Amino acid sequence: MRAGIWKRFQADESGATAIEYGLIAGLIAVAVIASFTALGNSILSLFGVGTGGAADTIAAQVEKIP
């Protein structure tokens, strides 16, 4: 009886997909955090903190609209 239960347990792959998706999501989260850490200041200056950022450029263009 125990041998039959053990064989069924080894053959059952129903939880494997969920675990794989969880691992993939975890790896993506680590990659996103690492990229934000490495590129944080560059992205911040691009999107409007300081002069010459995207916010300043958009504001200058909006002022030109009649």
Short mmCIF file of all heavy atoms in Angstrom, two decimals:
data_model
loop_
_atom_site.label_atom_id
_atom_site.label_comp_id
_atom_site.label_asym_id
_atom_site.label_seq_id
_atom_site.Cartn_x
_atom_site.Cartn_y
_atom_site.Cartn_z
N MET A 1 0.82 -1.19 0.00
CA MET A 1 0.00 0.00 0.00
C MET A 1 0.87 1.25 0.00
O MET A 1 0.59 2.19 -0.73
CB MET A 1 -0.91 -0.01 1.21
CG MET A 1 -1.80 1.19 1.27
SD MET A 1 -3.02 0.95 2.52
CE MET A 1 -3.33 2.62 2.95
N ARG A 2 1.92 1.27 0.79
CA ARG A 2 2.78 2.45 0.84
C ARG A 2 3.50 2.66 -0.48
O ARG A 2 3.76 3.80 -0.87
CB ARG A 2 3.79 2.34 1.96
CG ARG A 2 3.17 2.51 3.31
CD ARG A 2 4.21 2.59 4.36
NE ARG A 2 3.59 2.74 5.67
CZ ARG A 2 4.25 2.83 6.77
NH1 ARG A 2 5.57 2.75 6.78
NH2 ARG A 2 3.63 3.00 7.91
N ALA A 3 3.85 1.58 -1.15
CA ALA A 3 4.53 1.70 -2.44
C ALA A 3 3.63 2.37 -3.46
O ALA A 3 4.08 3.18 -4.27
CB ALA A 3 4.99 0.33 -2.93
N GLY A 4 2.35 2.05 -3.43
CA GLY A 4 1.39 2.66 -4.36
C GLY A 4 1.22 4.15 -4.10
O GLY A 4 1.15 4.95 -5.04
N ILE A 5 1.16 4.51 -2.84
CA ILE A 5 1.03 5.93 -2.49
C ILE A 5 2.29 6.69 -2.92
O ILE A 5 2.21 7.78 -3.46
CB ILE A 5 0.78 6.09 -0.97
CG1 ILE A 5 -0.60 5.52 -0.61
CG2 ILE A 5 0.87 7.55 -0.56
CD1 ILE A 5 -0.85 5.46 0.89
N TRP A 6 3.45 6.10 -2.69
CA TRP A 6 4.71 6.75 -3.05
C TRP A 6 4.82 6.93 -4.56
O TRP A 6 5.25 7.98 -5.04
CB TRP A 6 5.89 5.94 -2.52
CG TRP A 6 7.21 6.58 -2.82
CD1 TRP A 6 8.13 6.14 -3.70
CD2 TRP A 6 7.73 7.78 -2.27
NE1 TRP A 6 9.21 6.98 -3.73
CE2 TRP A 6 8.97 8.01 -2.85
CE3 TRP A 6 7.26 8.69 -1.34
CZ2 TRP A 6 9.76 9.10 -2.53
CZ3 TRP A 6 8.04 9.78 -1.02
CH2 TRP A 6 9.26 9.98 -1.61
N LYS A 7 4.39 5.94 -5.35
CA LYS A 7 4.44 6.05 -6.82
C LYS A 7 3.49 7.14 -7.31
O LYS A 7 3.82 7.89 -8.22
CB LYS A 7 4.11 4.70 -7.46
CG LYS A 7 5.23 3.71 -7.36
CD LYS A 7 4.89 2.41 -8.06
CE LYS A 7 6.04 1.43 -7.90
NZ LYS A 7 5.75 0.15 -8.55
N ARG A 8 2.31 7.20 -6.71
CA ARG A 8 1.37 8.26 -7.10
C ARG A 8 1.93 9.63 -6.75
O ARG A 8 1.78 10.59 -7.51
CB ARG A 8 0.03 8.07 -6.39
CG ARG A 8 -0.90 7.16 -7.08
CD ARG A 8 -2.29 7.29 -6.53
NE ARG A 8 -2.26 7.58 -5.09
CZ ARG A 8 -3.07 7.06 -4.18
NH1 ARG A 8 -4.01 6.24 -4.56
NH2 ARG A 8 -2.97 7.38 -2.92
N PHE A 9 2.57 9.75 -5.60
CA PHE A 9 3.15 11.01 -5.17
C PHE A 9 4.26 11.45 -6.13
O PHE A 9 4.35 12.62 -6.50
CB PHE A 9 3.71 10.88 -3.75
CG PHE A 9 4.38 12.13 -3.25
CD1 PHE A 9 3.63 13.24 -2.89
CD2 PHE A 9 5.76 12.21 -3.15
CE1 PHE A 9 4.23 14.39 -2.44
CE2 PHE A 9 6.38 13.35 -2.69
CZ PHE A 9 5.61 14.45 -2.33
N GLN A 10 5.09 10.53 -6.57
CA GLN A 10 6.17 10.86 -7.49
C GLN A 10 5.64 11.24 -8.87
O GLN A 10 6.22 12.08 -9.55
CB GLN A 10 7.14 9.69 -7.63
CG GLN A 10 8.03 9.51 -6.43
CD GLN A 10 9.00 8.36 -6.61
OE1 GLN A 10 8.69 7.37 -7.27
NE2 GLN A 10 10.18 8.49 -6.02
N ALA A 11 4.54 10.64 -9.29
CA ALA A 11 3.99 10.90 -10.61
C ALA A 11 3.15 12.17 -10.66
O ALA A 11 2.94 12.74 -11.73
CB ALA A 11 3.15 9.72 -11.07
N ASP A 12 2.68 12.65 -9.52
CA ASP A 12 1.81 13.83 -9.46
C ASP A 12 2.62 15.10 -9.71
O ASP A 12 3.55 15.42 -8.98
CB ASP A 12 1.12 13.90 -8.11
CG ASP A 12 0.09 15.01 -8.04
OD1 ASP A 12 -0.33 15.49 -9.11
OD2 ASP A 12 -0.27 15.40 -6.92
N GLU A 13 2.26 15.84 -10.76
CA GLU A 13 2.96 17.08 -11.09
C GLU A 13 2.02 18.28 -11.04
O GLU A 13 2.29 19.31 -11.65
CB GLU A 13 3.58 16.96 -12.49
CG GLU A 13 4.66 15.91 -12.59
CD GLU A 13 5.31 15.89 -13.95
OE1 GLU A 13 4.98 16.75 -14.79
OE2 GLU A 13 6.14 15.00 -14.18
N SER A 14 0.94 18.19 -10.32
CA SER A 14 -0.05 19.26 -10.32
C SER A 14 0.46 20.55 -9.68
O SER A 14 0.08 21.63 -10.09
CB SER A 14 -1.33 18.80 -9.61
OG SER A 14 -1.04 18.49 -8.26
N GLY A 15 1.33 20.47 -8.70
CA GLY A 15 1.83 21.68 -8.06
C GLY A 15 3.09 22.23 -8.69
O GLY A 15 3.53 23.33 -8.37
N ALA A 16 3.67 21.51 -9.63
CA ALA A 16 4.95 21.92 -10.23
C ALA A 16 4.80 23.22 -11.02
O ALA A 16 5.67 24.08 -10.96
CB ALA A 16 5.49 20.82 -11.12
N THR A 17 3.71 23.39 -11.73
CA THR A 17 3.52 24.59 -12.55
C THR A 17 3.42 25.82 -11.68
O THR A 17 4.03 26.85 -11.99
CB THR A 17 2.26 24.44 -13.41
OG1 THR A 17 2.37 23.25 -14.19
CG2 THR A 17 2.10 25.61 -14.34
N ALA A 18 2.70 25.75 -10.59
CA ALA A 18 2.56 26.90 -9.70
C ALA A 18 3.90 27.28 -9.09
O ALA A 18 4.23 28.46 -8.98
CB ALA A 18 1.54 26.59 -8.61
N ILE A 19 4.68 26.30 -8.72
CA ILE A 19 6.00 26.57 -8.16
C ILE A 19 6.89 27.21 -9.22
O ILE A 19 7.63 28.16 -8.93
CB ILE A 19 6.62 25.28 -7.61
CG1 ILE A 19 5.84 24.81 -6.38
CG2 ILE A 19 8.09 25.48 -7.26
CD1 ILE A 19 6.23 23.45 -5.88
N GLU A 20 6.83 26.72 -10.44
CA GLU A 20 7.64 27.30 -11.52
C GLU A 20 7.26 28.75 -11.78
O GLU A 20 8.11 29.61 -11.96
CB GLU A 20 7.50 26.48 -12.79
CG GLU A 20 8.14 25.11 -12.68
CD GLU A 20 7.75 24.18 -13.81
OE1 GLU A 20 6.90 24.57 -14.64
OE2 GLU A 20 8.30 23.07 -13.86
N TYR A 21 5.96 29.04 -11.81
CA TYR A 21 5.53 30.42 -12.01
C TYR A 21 5.97 31.31 -10.85
O TYR A 21 6.34 32.46 -11.04
CB TYR A 21 4.01 30.50 -12.17
CG TYR A 21 3.52 30.08 -13.54
CD1 TYR A 21 2.45 29.21 -13.69
CD2 TYR A 21 4.14 30.56 -14.69
CE1 TYR A 21 2.01 28.83 -14.94
CE2 TYR A 21 3.70 30.18 -15.94
CZ TYR A 21 2.62 29.33 -16.06
OH TYR A 21 2.19 28.96 -17.30
N GLY A 22 5.93 30.78 -9.66
CA GLY A 22 6.40 31.54 -8.50
C GLY A 22 7.88 31.85 -8.59
O GLY A 22 8.32 32.96 -8.28
N LEU A 23 8.68 30.88 -9.04
CA LEU A 23 10.11 31.12 -9.21
C LEU A 23 10.39 32.15 -10.29
O LEU A 23 11.25 33.03 -10.14
CB LEU A 23 10.82 29.80 -9.54
CG LEU A 23 10.92 28.80 -8.40
CD1 LEU A 23 11.47 27.48 -8.92
CD2 LEU A 23 11.80 29.34 -7.29
N ILE A 24 9.65 32.08 -11.39
CA ILE A 24 9.82 33.06 -12.46
C ILE A 24 9.45 34.46 -11.98
O ILE A 24 10.16 35.43 -12.25
CB ILE A 24 8.99 32.66 -13.70
CG1 ILE A 24 9.59 31.40 -14.33
CG2 ILE A 24 8.93 33.79 -14.72
CD1 ILE A 24 8.72 30.78 -15.41
N ALA A 25 8.34 34.58 -11.26
CA ALA A 25 7.94 35.88 -10.73
C ALA A 25 8.98 36.43 -9.76
O ALA A 25 9.27 37.62 -9.76
CB ALA A 25 6.58 35.77 -10.04
N GLY A 26 9.55 35.56 -8.95
CA GLY A 26 10.60 35.98 -8.02
C GLY A 26 11.84 36.48 -8.75
O GLY A 26 12.43 37.49 -8.37
N LEU A 27 12.24 35.78 -9.81
CA LEU A 27 13.39 36.21 -10.59
C LEU A 27 13.14 37.54 -11.29
O LEU A 27 14.03 38.40 -11.35
CB LEU A 27 13.76 35.15 -11.62
CG LEU A 27 14.39 33.88 -11.05
CD1 LEU A 27 14.56 32.84 -12.15
CD2 LEU A 27 15.72 34.20 -10.41
N ILE A 28 11.93 37.75 -11.79
CA ILE A 28 11.59 39.02 -12.42
C ILE A 28 11.63 40.14 -11.39
O ILE A 28 12.14 41.23 -11.66
CB ILE A 28 10.21 38.94 -13.11
CG1 ILE A 28 10.31 38.02 -14.34
CG2 ILE A 28 9.70 40.32 -13.50
CD1 ILE A 28 8.99 37.71 -14.99
N ALA A 29 11.12 39.89 -10.19
CA ALA A 29 11.15 40.90 -9.14
C ALA A 29 12.57 41.27 -8.76
O ALA A 29 12.90 42.45 -8.59
CB ALA A 29 10.39 40.40 -7.91
N VAL A 30 13.45 40.28 -8.67
CA VAL A 30 14.85 40.55 -8.35
C VAL A 30 15.49 41.38 -9.46
O VAL A 30 16.24 42.33 -9.20
CB VAL A 30 15.62 39.23 -8.13
CG1 VAL A 30 17.12 39.46 -8.10
CG2 VAL A 30 15.17 38.58 -6.83
N ALA A 31 15.19 41.06 -10.72
CA ALA A 31 15.76 41.81 -11.85
C ALA A 31 15.27 43.25 -11.86
O ALA A 31 16.04 44.18 -12.12
CB ALA A 31 15.40 41.12 -13.16
N VAL A 32 13.99 43.46 -11.56
CA VAL A 32 13.44 44.82 -11.54
C VAL A 32 14.07 45.63 -10.41
O VAL A 32 14.47 46.78 -10.61
CB VAL A 32 11.90 44.78 -11.39
CG1 VAL A 32 11.33 46.13 -11.05
CG2 VAL A 32 11.27 44.26 -12.66
N ILE A 33 14.19 45.04 -9.24
CA ILE A 33 14.79 45.75 -8.11
C ILE A 33 16.25 46.07 -8.40
O ILE A 33 16.72 47.18 -8.13
CB ILE A 33 14.64 44.92 -6.82
CG1 ILE A 33 13.17 44.88 -6.41
CG2 ILE A 33 15.50 45.49 -5.70
CD1 ILE A 33 12.87 43.90 -5.31
N ALA A 34 16.96 45.13 -8.99
CA ALA A 34 18.38 45.37 -9.32
C ALA A 34 18.51 46.48 -10.35
O ALA A 34 19.40 47.33 -10.24
CB ALA A 34 19.02 44.09 -9.82
N SER A 35 17.65 46.50 -11.35
CA SER A 35 17.74 47.55 -12.37
C SER A 35 17.37 48.91 -11.80
O SER A 35 17.99 49.92 -12.15
CB SER A 35 16.88 47.22 -13.58
OG SER A 35 15.51 47.22 -13.22
N PHE A 36 16.37 48.97 -10.93
CA PHE A 36 16.02 50.25 -10.30
C PHE A 36 17.15 50.74 -9.41
O PHE A 36 17.42 51.93 -9.35
CB PHE A 36 14.74 50.13 -9.48
CG PHE A 36 13.49 50.11 -10.31
CD1 PHE A 36 12.28 49.76 -9.73
CD2 PHE A 36 13.50 50.41 -11.66
CE1 PHE A 36 11.12 49.73 -10.47
CE2 PHE A 36 12.35 50.39 -12.42
CZ PHE A 36 11.15 50.05 -11.81
N THR A 37 17.81 49.83 -8.74
CA THR A 37 18.93 50.21 -7.88
C THR A 37 20.09 50.73 -8.71
O THR A 37 20.70 51.75 -8.39
CB THR A 37 19.38 49.01 -7.04
OG1 THR A 37 18.27 48.55 -6.26
CG2 THR A 37 20.51 49.39 -6.12
N ALA A 38 20.39 50.05 -9.80
CA ALA A 38 21.53 50.43 -10.64
C ALA A 38 21.25 51.70 -11.44
O ALA A 38 22.13 52.53 -11.62
CB ALA A 38 21.89 49.30 -11.58
N LEU A 39 20.02 51.85 -11.93
CA LEU A 39 19.69 52.97 -12.81
C LEU A 39 18.81 54.01 -12.16
O LEU A 39 18.31 54.91 -12.84
CB LEU A 39 18.99 52.44 -14.07
CG LEU A 39 19.76 51.40 -14.88
CD1 LEU A 39 18.88 50.85 -15.98
CD2 LEU A 39 21.02 52.00 -15.45
N GLY A 40 18.63 53.95 -10.86
CA GLY A 40 17.68 54.83 -10.18
C GLY A 40 17.93 56.30 -10.40
O GLY A 40 17.02 57.05 -10.75
N ASN A 41 19.15 56.75 -10.22
CA ASN A 41 19.44 58.17 -10.38
C ASN A 41 19.31 58.61 -11.83
O ASN A 41 18.84 59.72 -12.11
CB ASN A 41 20.85 58.48 -9.86
CG ASN A 41 20.93 58.35 -8.36
OD1 ASN A 41 19.93 58.50 -7.66
ND2 ASN A 41 22.11 58.06 -7.85
N SER A 42 19.68 57.77 -12.76
CA SER A 42 19.55 58.12 -14.18
C SER A 42 18.09 58.25 -14.56
O SER A 42 17.71 59.19 -15.27
CB SER A 42 20.20 57.04 -15.04
OG SER A 42 21.56 56.92 -14.74
N ILE A 43 17.26 57.34 -14.12
CA ILE A 43 15.83 57.39 -14.43
C ILE A 43 15.19 58.59 -13.75
O ILE A 43 14.36 59.28 -14.33
CB ILE A 43 15.15 56.07 -14.02
CG1 ILE A 43 15.66 54.93 -14.88
CG2 ILE A 43 13.64 56.18 -14.13
CD1 ILE A 43 15.19 53.57 -14.46
N LEU A 44 15.59 58.86 -12.53
CA LEU A 44 15.03 59.99 -11.80
C LEU A 44 15.35 61.30 -12.49
O LEU A 44 14.48 62.17 -12.64
CB LEU A 44 15.59 59.99 -10.37
CG LEU A 44 14.76 60.63 -9.28
CD1 LEU A 44 13.41 59.96 -9.20
CD2 LEU A 44 15.47 60.51 -7.96
N SER A 45 16.57 61.48 -12.94
CA SER A 45 16.93 62.72 -13.62
C SER A 45 16.27 62.82 -15.00
O SER A 45 16.00 63.91 -15.48
CB SER A 45 18.45 62.84 -13.75
OG SER A 45 18.96 61.83 -14.58
N LEU A 46 16.00 61.68 -15.63
CA LEU A 46 15.34 61.70 -16.93
C LEU A 46 13.90 62.20 -16.81
O LEU A 46 13.43 62.95 -17.65
CB LEU A 46 15.36 60.30 -17.54
CG LEU A 46 14.58 60.12 -18.85
CD1 LEU A 46 15.28 60.88 -19.96
CD2 LEU A 46 14.47 58.67 -19.19
N PHE A 47 13.21 61.81 -15.76
CA PHE A 47 11.78 62.10 -15.65
C PHE A 47 11.45 63.33 -14.84
O PHE A 47 10.35 63.45 -14.35
CB PHE A 47 11.03 60.89 -15.10
CG PHE A 47 10.90 59.80 -16.11
CD1 PHE A 47 11.58 58.62 -15.96
CD2 PHE A 47 10.12 59.98 -17.23
CE1 PHE A 47 11.46 57.62 -16.88
CE2 PHE A 47 9.99 58.98 -18.17
CZ PHE A 47 10.66 57.79 -18.00
N GLY A 48 12.34 64.24 -14.66
CA GLY A 48 11.90 65.52 -14.18
C GLY A 48 12.47 66.04 -12.90
O GLY A 48 12.08 67.11 -12.47
N VAL A 49 13.36 65.37 -12.26
CA VAL A 49 13.98 65.93 -11.07
C VAL A 49 15.21 66.67 -11.55
O VAL A 49 16.10 66.08 -12.14
CB VAL A 49 14.35 64.84 -10.05
CG1 VAL A 49 15.08 65.43 -8.88
CG2 VAL A 49 13.11 64.12 -9.60
N GLY A 50 15.25 67.95 -11.33
CA GLY A 50 16.37 68.75 -11.82
C GLY A 50 16.02 69.41 -13.14
O GLY A 50 14.93 69.25 -13.68
N THR A 51 16.95 70.18 -13.66
CA THR A 51 16.69 70.89 -14.91
C THR A 51 17.02 69.99 -16.10
O THR A 51 17.88 69.13 -16.02
CB THR A 51 17.57 72.15 -15.00
OG1 THR A 51 18.93 71.76 -14.90
CG2 THR A 51 17.23 73.11 -13.89
N GLY A 52 16.28 70.21 -17.18
CA GLY A 52 16.53 69.44 -18.39
C GLY A 52 15.85 68.10 -18.42
O GLY A 52 16.08 67.31 -19.32
N GLY A 53 15.01 67.81 -17.45
CA GLY A 53 14.31 66.54 -17.44
C GLY A 53 13.12 66.55 -18.38
O GLY A 53 12.81 67.55 -19.03
N ALA A 54 12.46 65.44 -18.47
CA ALA A 54 11.31 65.31 -19.36
C ALA A 54 10.19 66.26 -18.95
O ALA A 54 9.50 66.82 -19.81
CB ALA A 54 10.81 63.87 -19.36
N ALA A 55 10.01 66.50 -17.66
CA ALA A 55 8.95 67.40 -17.20
C ALA A 55 9.20 68.82 -17.68
O ALA A 55 8.27 69.52 -18.10
CB ALA A 55 8.85 67.36 -15.69
N ASP A 56 10.45 69.28 -17.65
CA ASP A 56 10.77 70.62 -18.12
C ASP A 56 10.55 70.73 -19.63
O ASP A 56 10.03 71.74 -20.12
CB ASP A 56 12.23 70.97 -17.80
CG ASP A 56 12.46 71.15 -16.31
OD1 ASP A 56 11.48 71.45 -15.59
OD2 ASP A 56 13.61 70.98 -15.88
N THR A 57 10.92 69.71 -20.36
CA THR A 57 10.75 69.71 -21.81
C THR A 57 9.27 69.74 -22.18
O THR A 57 8.86 70.51 -23.06
CB THR A 57 11.41 68.47 -22.43
OG1 THR A 57 12.77 68.43 -22.01
CG2 THR A 57 11.34 68.49 -23.93
N ILE A 58 8.47 68.94 -21.50
CA ILE A 58 7.02 68.92 -21.77
C ILE A 58 6.40 70.25 -21.41
O ILE A 58 5.58 70.80 -22.16
CB ILE A 58 6.35 67.76 -21.02
CG1 ILE A 58 6.82 66.42 -21.60
CG2 ILE A 58 4.83 67.87 -21.08
CD1 ILE A 58 6.42 65.22 -20.78
N ALA A 59 6.79 70.83 -20.29
CA ALA A 59 6.25 72.13 -19.88
C ALA A 59 6.60 73.22 -20.88
O ALA A 59 5.77 74.08 -21.20
CB ALA A 59 6.76 72.49 -18.49
N ALA A 60 7.82 73.18 -21.41
CA ALA A 60 8.23 74.17 -22.41
C ALA A 60 7.41 74.02 -23.68
O ALA A 60 7.03 75.04 -24.31
CB ALA A 60 9.72 74.02 -22.69
N GLN A 61 7.13 72.80 -24.08
CA GLN A 61 6.35 72.58 -25.28
C GLN A 61 4.89 72.98 -25.10
O GLN A 61 4.26 73.49 -26.01
CB GLN A 61 6.45 71.14 -25.75
CG GLN A 61 7.85 70.72 -26.17
CD GLN A 61 8.40 71.57 -27.30
OE1 GLN A 61 7.70 71.87 -28.27
NE2 GLN A 61 9.65 71.97 -27.18
N VAL A 62 4.35 72.76 -23.91
CA VAL A 62 2.97 73.12 -23.62
C VAL A 62 2.80 74.63 -23.66
O VAL A 62 1.77 75.15 -24.13
CB VAL A 62 2.52 72.54 -22.25
CG1 VAL A 62 1.22 73.14 -21.79
CG2 VAL A 62 2.41 71.02 -22.36
N GLU A 63 3.80 75.36 -23.22
CA GLU A 63 3.72 76.82 -23.24
C GLU A 63 3.69 77.36 -24.66
O GLU A 63 3.15 78.44 -24.90
CB GLU A 63 4.91 77.42 -22.50
CG GLU A 63 4.85 77.21 -21.00
CD GLU A 63 6.10 77.69 -20.29
OE1 GLU A 63 7.01 78.20 -20.96
OE2 GLU A 63 6.14 77.55 -19.06
N LYS A 64 4.22 76.62 -25.61
CA LYS A 64 4.22 77.05 -27.00
C LYS A 64 2.88 76.83 -27.71
O LYS A 64 2.64 77.37 -28.77
CB LYS A 64 5.31 76.31 -27.78
CG LYS A 64 6.71 76.66 -27.34
CD LYS A 64 7.73 75.88 -28.17
CE LYS A 64 9.13 76.20 -27.72
NZ LYS A 64 10.13 75.41 -28.49
N ILE A 65 2.01 76.04 -27.12
CA ILE A 65 0.71 75.76 -27.73
C ILE A 65 -0.15 77.00 -27.62
O ILE A 65 -0.33 77.56 -26.54
CB ILE A 65 0.03 74.56 -27.03
CG1 ILE A 65 0.86 73.30 -27.22
CG2 ILE A 65 -1.37 74.36 -27.58
CD1 ILE A 65 0.33 72.10 -26.48
N PRO A 66 -0.73 77.43 -28.76
CA PRO A 66 -1.55 78.67 -28.72
C PRO A 66 -2.89 78.47 -28.03
O PRO A 66 -3.45 77.51 -27.87
CB PRO A 66 -1.77 79.02 -30.19
CG PRO A 66 -1.40 77.82 -30.98
CD PRO A 66 -0.58 76.95 -30.10
#
